[in-house]
Amino acid sequence: MTATQEPTPATAQPPRSLLDFQGWSRGQLESILETAKMMQEVLARPVKKVPALTGFTVATVFFEASTRTRLSFELAARRMSADVLSFAASTSSVSKGETYKDTLLTLDAMGLDAYVIRVDAAGVCHQAEKWLGKPIINAGDGWRAHPTQALLDAFTLLEKLGTLEGKKVAIVGDIQHSRVARSNAELLPMLGAKVVACGPATLLPGSLLAAELTTDLRQALSEADAVMALRLQNERMDKGLLPSLPEYISGYQITEGRLGWAKPDAPLLHPGPMNRDVELEGSLADSPRSLVERQVANGQAVRMAVLYHLLVGKKS
Ligand code: CP
């Protein structure tokens, strides 16, 4: 969605898939976050397993690399007793020229119930829902959206800040190529937060939903309740967008000193993977301000909640 497009009105029934936040209401998303709290309790038990998804089979279909998202979805599904089919493009017949559609139809012939898909092209997840007629969870499609990352970021912020109402969240780095920035710019304002996105002009889009855009790092961080650093998405970047890496670091790296421009104790988030000493001072990731590992831990609970809502259903 662009800033000029009207959002799709949310319906009483949540959408069948989580492709982005279009069609979802604040209440429906808050309901997922509430369920994630219950899933956290499951994960704190000695036996981290419930029968909620017994009989379901979930496919994780990754046409792009991933550590956190794929593994946490697979664990999330197994923690709820689903069977998991794990597909990686690099070891598949995609290398022989099989298309996205034929690959997905082939998997579907094996009798699957839901698909977690990561792909380098926007639109494939929407098409997959049409091709398969089953719940699709977008695990990152090109620059466009990474909704479960934004949900786990929101969950982690809520855990730390108590509420997002009136909070300022600064997102700093390569905004232009970031699906994480787009999904957070969509979700966090729905939950009451103000998002300020900051980076060099060549790495900022013309607009980013309701987010304020700035090239001024001090302005972005000033009075921020939380700061999120993003890596340079070199795999999606045309050459020549930065004068040099040292100049980028000198202008936009989150350092301990610069974090001092934010509110005292404002937490630092990063979706990972991190490039230490590029987008953030490496030691900051291990400091008490960092929520990076908490984000990863919460990812599992949030993804359990998403799978539960889409497969078992829970009306808000
Ligand atoms: N944050 C995130 O999507 O990480 P992965 O690429 O490791 O899944």
Side-chain angles (χ1 to χ4, degrees):
M1 187 181 74
T2 67
T4 53
Q5 283 177 309
E6 286 296 318
T8 307
T11 54
Q13 288 269 4
R16 175 169 59 185
S17 295
L18 181 63
L19 304 172
D20 46 40
F21 299 115
Q22 283 285 287
W24 288 84
S25 69
R26 176 175 179 162
Q28 288 159 354
L29 295 168
E30 285 175 336
S31 181
I32 290 179
L33 297 173
E34 278 303 311
T35 305
K37 279 193 212 162
M38 288 186 252
M39 298 305 180
Q40 259 187 333
E41 287 166 24
V42 170
L43 295 175
R45 295 178 192 163
V47 178
K48 303 170 180 37
K49 197 140 181 145
V50 288
L53 298 188
T54 303
F56 288 100
T57 306
V58 175
T60 55
V61 185
F62 279 63
F63 296 100
E64 265 195 347
S66 166
T67 297
R68 282 147 284 265
T69 311
R70 184 171 68 79
L71 295 179
S72 66
F73 261 118
E74 291 181 1
L75 259 185
R78 290 194 177 104
R79 301 281 196 216
M80 292 192 292
S81 305
D83 293 318
V84 175
L85 185 74
S86 179
F87 167 93
S90 55
T91 53
S92 75
S93 291
V94 168
S95 59
K96 300 173 197 162
E98 197 158 39
T99 61
Y100 294 134
K101 182 175 181 179
D102 284 334
T103 300
L104 289 167
L105 290 175
T106 299
L107 297 177
D108 201 51
M110 298 180 199
L112 308 177
D113 299 296
Y115 293 80
V116 179
I117 301 177
R118 171 169 289 185
V119 64
D120 61 359
V124 173
C125 293
H126 289 76
Q127 284 301 120
E129 196 191 40
K130 293 188 183 119
W131 295 330
L132 305 175
K134 300 206 174 140
I136 307 292
I137 301 170
N138 179 0
D141 62 342
W143 307 2
R144 210 188 64 82
H146 192 351
T148 61
Q149 179 67 46
L151 280 168
L152 77 88
D153 292 339
F155 186 84
T156 306
L157 285 167
L158 284 166
E159 199 176 52
K160 181 74 183 172
L161 303 175
T163 178
L164 284 170
E165 209 61 60
K167 302 293 183 187
K168 175 179 174 181
V169 180
I171 305 180
V172 180
D174 178 3
I175 308 297
Q176 172 68 34
H177 304 98
S178 175
R179 54 197 176 204
V180 176
R182 280 179 181 75
S183 282
N184 270 303
E186 194 177 8
L187 176 65
L188 298 182
M190 282 177 84
L191 301 176
K194 172 184 175 181
V195 172
V196 179
C198 175
T202 48
L203 298 182
L204 284 179
S207 65
L208 187 71
L209 303 148
E212 185 182 314
L213 296 172
T214 179
T215 56
D216 183 336
L217 183 59
R218 189 167 196 138
Q219 182 192 321
L221 297 191
S222 170
E223 291 301 305
D225 294 280
V227 178
M228 183 183 298
L230 298 179
R231 84 183 162 89
L232 296 171
Q233 309 259 313
N234 290 309
E235 70 276 26
R236 304 186 208 289
M237 213 185 274
D238 292 330
K239 286 193 170 56
L241 291 180
L242 292 171
S244 70
L245 197 55
E247 280 177 85
Y248 174 77
I249 289 168
S250 108
Y252 291 96
Q253 184 183 81
I254 305 297
T255 62
E256 195 174 348
R258 287 169 171 170
L259 205 50
W261 296 337
K263 283 191 179 161
D265 300 327
L268 175 67
L269 294 89
H270 193 305
M274 286 185 286
N275 290 134
R276 287 179 188 250
D277 297 317
V278 179
E279 65 268 18
L280 81 178
E281 205 166 56
S283 56
L284 269 184
D286 310 313
S287 75
R289 302 283 284 269
S290 169
L291 293 179
V292 173
E293 287 180 17
R294 195 71 200 149
Q295 288 171 273
V296 175
N298 286 340
Q300 200 184 142
V302 167
R303 287 171 174 136
M304 286 170 78
V306 169
L307 286 169
Y308 180 78
H309 275 253
L310 292 183
L311 282 169
V312 179
K314 189 160 181 290
K315 317 289 177 267
S316 61

